[in-house]
Amino acid sequence: MLEQVKHNMETISGVEIYPIISLLIFFGFFVGLAFWVLSYKKDKIDEMSQIPFEEKQF
């Protein structure tokens, strides 16, 4: 089965660009996520960390 997939992929013109695009999307996502996490405000993180300890009032 792998031989069939490999053969089909070889017949597609321009297929070599897809792994590069996938890597760039993957890398960009995690760089963006790291930037978002590192730039998050400390007071907001402290506020959210106290949510499990608050008593629910209905």
Side-chain angles (χ1 to χ4, degrees), residues 13-28:
S13 63
V15 75
E16 62 275 356
I17 193 73
Y18 292 114
I20 297 169
I21 292 172
S22 299
L23 178 65
L24 291 175
I25 291 171
F26 179 80
F27 184 73

Side-chain angles (χ1 to χ4, degrees), residues 21-57:
I21 292 172
S22 299
L23 178 65
L24 291 175
I25 291 171
F26 179 80
F27 184 73
F29 173 77
F30 282 103
V31 166
L33 187 65
F35 178 74
W36 178 68
V37 167
L38 294 174
S39 67
Y40 216 72
K41 294 186 179 5
K42 178 126 175 77
D43 59 338
K44 186 67 175 170
I45 293 172
D46 290 337
E47 178 185 331
M48 288 189 298
S49 69
Q50 294 302 316
I51 291 174
F53 302 115
E54 295 175 359
E55 291 189 27
K56 294 188 185 254
Q57 297 176 1

